[in-house]
Each structure stands twice: as structure tokens, then as C-alpha cells.
Amino acid sequence: MKKDGKFFQILILFLTFLKIGAFTFGGGYAMIPIIQKEVVEKRRWATNADILEILAISESTPGPISVNAATYIGFRVAGFWGSLFATLGLALPSFVIIFVISFFYKTFMTWRIVQAAFKGLSIGVIILLCMAVIKLKKSIPNSFLSVILFVITFVGMMLINLFSWKIPSVTLIFIGFGLLVGIVTTAITRKEKKK
Amino acid sequence: MIYFELFYTFFLIGLFTFGGGYAMIPMIEDQIVGKGWMTDAQLTDFIAISETTPGPFAINISTFVGSQTGGIFGAICSTIGVILPSFIIILLVAIILSKFLKNRFVKGALNGVKPVIVALIAVTAVTFFIKTILFSGNAIRSVPMYFDRAAFTLLFVLASFAIIYKINKKKSVNPISLLLLSAFFGIVLFY
């Protein structure tokens, strides 16, 4: 089989996202470290800066972040079929696992070994998330504005989480704020340059 | 027909949930519990199951509800339903945006979002830390504070491992190896 053939690339996409789907515990951002390892470091399909862009797009569009990321990366690598098979690969592990569990879910939850393993996993995920933050931090534009946006989001979101304030689509509000600030500063700097 | 109803309901859920994950719970409660496909207690149980199994929450819950309501075809219909909106939207965005990525306003907007995203990930890390090590719930108000010494020790051991690996091998540890290791230690420590 030709290693650079399109069919081969689509197969690799499918298998890579199958792996990502099988090892994403905790959902959402918890899969970023694995995407970084597989997509950025191993396959070089995207850079860390691209990942941030993909996340920005995923957060501003409906649907689960991982599905969005799989579709987007799949499309960039191999067009429509790439995005289809990346998304299928991502969904397949959870589909199979949950389908099987749905028949005996009441007993599944009482298995202490599952609970113990999950407690370990949830601690591992904390470290993975910290690793992701350290890597992605390098791709943020180095400016005072970035620091301000980071601090506002971090403090605001932390307070909301700690006090369990129920604010619908709260992440979307922060994302929208970031988009807006980004556009406004671009407009202002353009005017200054014209002067 | 139940298959079409499952597909349609999850299509709506997929279309109207931004950010994914738990952001979709209110919508699911409204649609799924409202239709009698699941009780509130079952939904709470299922959130725990979803946390213990890999994969995005949206896919987990659509597979589960579909399977309980309409067997394997129900599961397939609802999972395709929940994925399809994001798939179509992202495909359109990818096609359109690739033409506009060099535009300075698009660039500026994305540059504004980047620090916000990194901050949101950092918040997730800190929230997970608080949830597993400091409080048994995730809010200050509801639960008295405690300190889980075993969990903290495991965090310390895993973090040291990740740092030493990075210094020695000049590259970061494979996330899958780290997850397998933490599941193993979890069983050793907490079982």
C-alpha cells in the first residue's frame, strides 16, 4: 500500500482518533493533551497554535469540542472523507463501551474496582491538563492584552465554579468577550497605523 | 416513529449546546427527562457512568438513551443525531475559514480568544484538583472541606514522574501511559 496515498492517510486519521476517543476521560478539555501528543507531536498535522485556533472555533460553534476538533483536523488533513472518518473514529469507542454498559449499568456503578481506577484517572487528568496549559501558553500572542484576558477569564470562571453559580452558556460569554476584544483591538491598531 | 424522534431530539441537542460536555445537561434534562425517556435519578446515575468511561459526554448520553429506548438502531440514530450538527457546521467553517484565516480581523479575533481558552483549561485543572482533593462536591457552599491525603500523594507521585520524565527524556510523557499508570495506582490505593 502506498504510504502517502489518501486512503492510507484517512486510515491513519481514523485510527488516531479511535485512540483519542478511547482515552478521553472527563470529556472536553481533558482530551487536549492526547490530541497534542497524537496530532501535533506524532503526526505533525497541526501546531500548538493551530490547536488553540481549533479550540477557539470549537467553543464558538455548537457541539462537543472533541467532535468539532476531529472534524476540523480531519478536514485539514484529508478533506471531507478525512473529517468523516476522524469523527467516526472518535465516536466509536464511547459508542461501543456505553452500548455494552447500557445493559448492566446498575451493577457497573457498584463495582468498587471501577470507582478506584476512576479516582486514579481523575488525578492523572489534572496533571495532563497542567501539561496542556504549559504547552498552549507558548502559543498565546505575547502581549499585555493576553495577560489581562487570561486573568479576567481565570478569576471569573473560577468564582463561578467555586460558588456553583448557574449561568447558562457561561464559557460562550467569555469566548465572545475574547473575540470582541480581539476584533476591537485590531480595529484600533489599524487606525493608529493610518495616522 | 421512535428512531426518527431519537434522531431529531439529539440533533436539536447537538445543535444548541455550545462548549459541549456538561453545558448540555440543562438541555438534556428538558428534552430527555421531559419526554420520559429517563428520570432525573437515572440522569444523575448516568453522569457518573459517563465520568467513568472514556469519550465525550454527548456521545455517551446519546448512545445510552438511544439504546435504552430503541436498542442498537436507537443508539445509532441518536448518536448520529448528536454528532451531525457539529459535523456539518465545522465542515462549513473549515471550508470558509481556510480562506479567511489570513484576514487581520479573523486573526485578531482568534488572538483574543487564545488566552481565554488557555485560562478555561487552567480553570478546569484547578476545579478537578479541588473536586478530587479538597472537597467531595465541587462547590464551597454545599460540602465541608476535607483533605484527601491519599489522592494528594498520588498527585504528587504522578507529577514528579511527569517532571522527571520530561527532564530526562527531553520530551513530555505520553498521556496514555500516564493515564494507564494513574488508573493502576488508583486501584492499588483506593480499592
Side-chain angles (χ1 to χ4, degrees):
Chain A
M1 195 191 321
K2 263 200 331 205
K3 275 213 159 183
D4 51 353
K6 196 161 185 187
F7 177 78
F8 187 78
Q9 267 207 321
I10 291 172
L11 184 73
I12 295 290
L13 266 171
F14 178 76
L15 292 176
T16 302
F17 278 94
L18 196 73
K19 203 160 150 193
I20 294 171
F23 282 95
T24 313
F25 290 89
Y29 292 135
M31 58 132 210
I32 293 162
I34 300 177
I35 288 203
Q36 273 174 332
K37 186 80 191 177
E38 295 292 325
V39 172
V40 178
E41 286 163 31
K42 234 181 183 171
R43 302 280 168 210
R44 304 198 184 282
W45 284 330
T47 62
N48 272 320
D50 291 334
I51 295 291
L52 271 178
E53 257 165 33
I54 293 166
L55 289 175
I57 294 163
S58 301
E59 283 284 19
S60 344
T61 50
I65 297 168
S66 43
V67 175
N68 293 347
T71 308
Y72 192 82
I73 294 167
F75 182 82
R76 276 186 42 166
V77 175
F80 173 78
W81 295 106
S83 64
L84 184 67
F85 278 93
T87 311
L88 281 179
L90 180 86
L92 203 58
S94 5
F95 183 85
V96 173
I97 292 168
I98 294 292
F99 185 73
V100 172
I101 285 179
S102 71
F103 295 107
F104 60 101
Y105 73 101
K106 282 192 180 99
T107 43
F108 177 80
M109 281 316 291
T110 55
W111 292 349
R112 279 191 49 225
I113 194 161
V114 175
Q115 292 170 352
F118 180 69
K119 186 141 193 207
L121 280 171
S122 61
I123 293 166
V125 168
I126 300 174
I127 293 163
L128 291 184
L129 286 169
C130 293
M131 280 162 53
V133 170
I134 293 167
K135 280 182 195 165
L136 291 176
K137 213 183 67 201
K138 294 173 193 152
S139 311
I140 302 178
N142 197 355
S143 69
F144 181 63
L145 190 75
S146 293
V147 178
I148 298 281
L149 279 169
F150 181 91
V151 172
I152 290 178
T153 313
F154 185 83
V155 173
M157 200 62 194
M158 213 55 237
L159 286 174
I160 291 167
N161 272 354
L162 281 177
F163 293 99
S164 295
W165 289 326
K166 297 267 178 287
I167 303 170
S169 319
V170 65
T171 42
L172 197 65
I173 296 170
F174 282 110
I175 299 287
F177 177 66
L179 281 171
L180 196 72
V181 171
I183 291 170
V184 169
T185 29
T186 315
I188 292 171
T189 44
R190 187 177 206 172
K191 267 181 196 161
E192 276 174 3
K193 268 179 196 163
K194 270 184 182 169
K195 280 175 191 171
Chain B
M1 201 168 99
I2 186 72
Y3 299 130
F4 181 75
E5 210 179 334
L6 280 167
F7 173 82
Y8 175 72
T9 307
F10 278 99
F11 188 87
L12 280 185
I13 292 173
L15 186 60
F16 288 107
T17 39
F18 286 85
Y22 298 138
M24 55 176 23
I25 287 177
M27 181 85 179
I28 285 185
E29 219 171 1
D30 181 52
Q31 293 282 323
I32 306 299
V33 180
K35 286 200 167 100
W37 286 342
M38 222 178 185
T39 63
D40 264 321
Q42 275 177 315
L43 182 63
T44 316
D45 271 356
F46 186 75
I47 293 169
I49 295 178
S50 182
E51 282 196 333
T52 332
T53 52
F57 178 73
I59 293 177
N60 292 348
I61 187 121
S62 54
T63 307
F64 185 79
V65 174
S67 151
Q68 296 277 302
T69 327
I72 176 91
F73 288 113
I76 291 173
C77 289
S78 38
T79 307
I80 291 178
V82 90
I83 293 175
L84 208 57
S86 358
F87 184 76
I88 295 169
I89 292 169
I90 290 290
L91 213 56
L92 291 176
V93 169
I95 293 166
I96 297 164
L97 202 72
S98 56
K99 290 188 181 118
F100 289 99
L101 265 180
K102 293 227 163 65
N103 178 293
R104 28 202 316 282
F105 283 96
V106 175
K107 259 190 184 163
L110 286 174
N111 279 343
V113 185
K114 283 174 186 176
V116 174
I117 299 272
V118 179
L120 288 175
I121 302 172
V123 168
T124 315
V126 178
T127 311
F128 274 26
F129 175 81
I130 291 172
K131 235 160 96 174
T132 42
I133 289 163
L134 291 184
F135 300 93
S136 52
N138 53 3
I140 290 180
R141 285 191 296 192
S142 52
V143 192
M145 196 168 154
Y146 75 105
F147 182 74
D148 191 334
R149 206 172 291 165
F152 186 75
T153 313
L154 179 54
L155 180 76
F156 184 78
V157 169
L158 289 172
S160 321
F161 171 74
I163 292 166
I164 292 167
Y165 188 97
K166 171 98 189 174
I167 293 169
N168 273 341
K169 304 252 172 146
K170 305 271 183 254
K171 62 172 187 180
S172 46
V173 56
N174 189 319
I176 294 176
S177 325
L178 191 84
L179 283 177
L180 291 176
L181 198 70
S182 45
F184 171 75
F185 277 121
I187 293 170
V188 171
L189 267 172
F190 305 111
Y191 184 52

